[in-house]
Amino acid sequence: MKNSIVLILIVLFSSCCNAKKVAQDTTKPIQESTVLQEQAIAEIKTDDLVLKENTNQETENTKDTIIQKEFKQILTKTEHSNIHFLWNELLQKHVSNNGNVNYKSFKTDHKKLLEYIHILAILKSKPEFDSISKNEKLAYWINAYNALTIDLIIKNYPVKSIKDIKYPWGQKLWELGDKWYSLEDIEHEILRKMDEPRIHFAIVCASYSCPKLQNTAFTASKLETQLTTATKQFLSDTKRNEIKENSLKLSKIFKWFDKDFEQNGSLIDFLNKYTDITISAKAKISYKDYNWDLNN
């Protein structure tokens, strides 16, 4: 009887050992399989990431190629107004005929605005840019100044005034070509040196007392008409200028940039080209307070 019990115990012990070994042998390939799966998933994710990066890069390169091709094609013509088509579309959508800007709605199209600024950057980087006409350069820089001003306001919106932003005109926030620009750079180092005083009625500082923001983009072929219209509209706006034969209450723009308007005579000589009233050479001149509230 005792021998039988001992034999049974030996069999049971042997079975348990074998079962444990089998279990261990079975677990090992499962663990190895799990590790391999995790490695495979990691590799797939890595491949996906690389693919996405490559796809994004290819998309970006394609976009640049299309823009560059368009620029080269346009340079063979006398006009490249379609470069500013996107900017014109945004102006039509978010700026009233009176020049009031809906910055809240403009903000919803910020991506499109950045796309336009990206186009400007690519164009500026091309060697061909230096050979385009004066009017094409004027249109480019006027549109650039206004687009970058809108971009500045949108990035800081809501604000009550552009002057609420730290150094709004002095910050070099935008890279066009291989150079970083501020609004001051564009206005004083580029536009004012092009001997066209009417640019002061085309570029807008996002303020109430500024000339109104035109809701169409400037183009080389229409530039003369556009600048003349902008100048006449500003001078005839009695909220910004009061013009009589013997007395003038003018915007401080004429005080700040007086030399720009005296290149071919006196300030009054300049004004008489664009007003219906003939101003006396002895007219008394004073200047209105400047309202820096947002032009919305």
Side-chain angles (χ1 to χ4, degrees):
M1 181 66 175
K2 290 182 180 180
N3 291 337
S4 298
I5 293 172
V6 171
L7 181 60
I8 292 170
L9 291 173
I10 291 171
V11 171
L12 289 173
F13 179 76
S14 177
S15 298
C16 289
C17 289
N18 290 334
K20 183 177 181 181
K21 184 178 180 181
V22 171
Q24 289 176 340
D25 292 343
T26 305
T27 302
K28 186 175 181 180
I30 291 174
Q31 291 174 339
E32 290 178 350
S33 176
T34 301
V35 171
L36 290 173
Q37 288 177 12
E38 290 175 352
Q39 290 176 345
I41 291 170
E43 289 176 2
I44 291 171
K45 288 182 177 178
T46 301
D47 290 342
D48 284 346
L49 180 59
V50 171
L51 180 60
K52 287 178 181 178
E53 290 177 349
N54 290 338
T55 301
N56 290 338
Q57 186 63 45
E58 289 173 2
T59 301
E60 191 67 24
N61 291 339
T62 300
K63 183 189 293 185
D64 288 355
T65 300
I66 292 171
I67 293 170
Q68 291 168 14
K69 183 183 292 185
E70 179 181 305
F71 186 50
K72 288 180 180 178
Q73 290 173 345
I74 289 167
L75 284 174
T76 63
K77 305 175 184 178
T78 58
E79 169 62 34
H80 63 282
S81 59
N82 54 327
I83 287 174
H84 305 295
F85 175 81
L86 184 56
W87 175 233
N88 190 78
E89 184 180 272
L90 290 168
L91 290 170
Q92 289 282 297
K93 185 176 179 181
H94 303 292
V95 181
S96 72
N97 290 332
N98 293 326
N100 296 323
V101 184
N102 188 337
Y103 290 102
K104 186 176 180 180
S105 69
F106 222 131
K107 193 175 179 71
T108 64
D109 270 337
H110 195 197
K111 183 178 179 181
K112 284 187 178 180
L113 176 60
L114 294 178
E115 288 175 1
Y116 173 65
I117 295 172
H118 178 64
I119 291 172
L120 294 178
I122 292 175
L123 300 186
K124 181 63 177 62
S125 70
K126 298 295 135 190
E128 297 93 333
F129 183 84
D130 293 332
S131 63
I132 63 177
S133 70
K134 178 182 177 179
N135 278 3
E136 286 170 331
K137 287 181 180 177
L138 278 167
Y140 173 94
W141 287 113
I142 290 170
N143 289 329
Y145 184 96
N146 290 337
L148 300 183
T149 300
I150 295 291
D151 181 50
L152 178 67
I153 297 298
I154 288 176
K155 286 176 178 175
N156 292 275
Y157 192 79
V159 290
K160 292 182 178 180
S161 168
I162 190 172
K163 297 185 81 173
D164 292 339
I165 302 169
K166 188 176 182 179
Y167 308 126
W169 295 285
Q171 294 188 66
K172 294 181 184 292
L173 299 175
W174 302 276
E175 186 178 16
L176 303 175
D178 58 354
K179 183 178 178 181
W180 287 86
Y181 290 90
S182 67
L183 294 174
E184 283 183 348
D185 292 333
I186 296 173
E187 180 178 10
H188 302 301
E189 299 304 319
I190 298 174
L191 283 170
R192 290 186 64 198
K193 291 183 177 181
M194 296 183 76
D195 299 322
E196 176 47 83
R198 292 175 297 175
I199 58 104
H200 292 292
F201 316 115
I203 58 175
V204 180
C205 61
S207 303
Y208 177 83
S209 289
C210 287
K212 77 174 190 178
L213 178 61
Q214 301 291 325
N215 64 354
T216 54
F218 286 86
T219 61
S221 64
K222 299 178 181 178
L223 190 65
E224 177 61 31
T225 300
Q226 289 176 312
L227 289 177
T228 297
T229 299
T231 303
K232 288 183 174 182
Q233 287 179 343
F234 184 65
L235 289 175
S236 65
D237 185 348
T238 56
K239 293 179 180 178
R240 292 161 178 81
N241 298 281
E242 295 179 35
I243 296 176
K244 297 179 181 179
E245 180 182 351
N246 295 305
S247 66
L248 300 170
K249 292 183 180 179
L250 300 177
S251 164
K252 283 187 177 178
I253 288 175
F254 293 105
K255 182 178 182 180
W256 296 330
F257 306 108
D258 56 339
K259 292 181 180 179
D260 294 1
F261 301 107
E262 296 172 351
Q263 296 176 12
N264 299 302
S266 67
L267 171 59
I268 290 177
D269 289 334
F270 175 85
L271 296 176
N272 273 328
K273 293 179 182 178
Y274 302 102
T275 58
D276 295 330
I277 299 171
T278 302
I279 306 167
S280 168
K282 297 180 180 180
K284 183 179 178 181
I285 301 176
S286 61
Y287 298 96
K288 288 175 167 285
D289 291 333
Y290 210 84
N291 185 343
W292 289 100
D293 288 346
L294 213 60
N295 59 340
N296 53 6

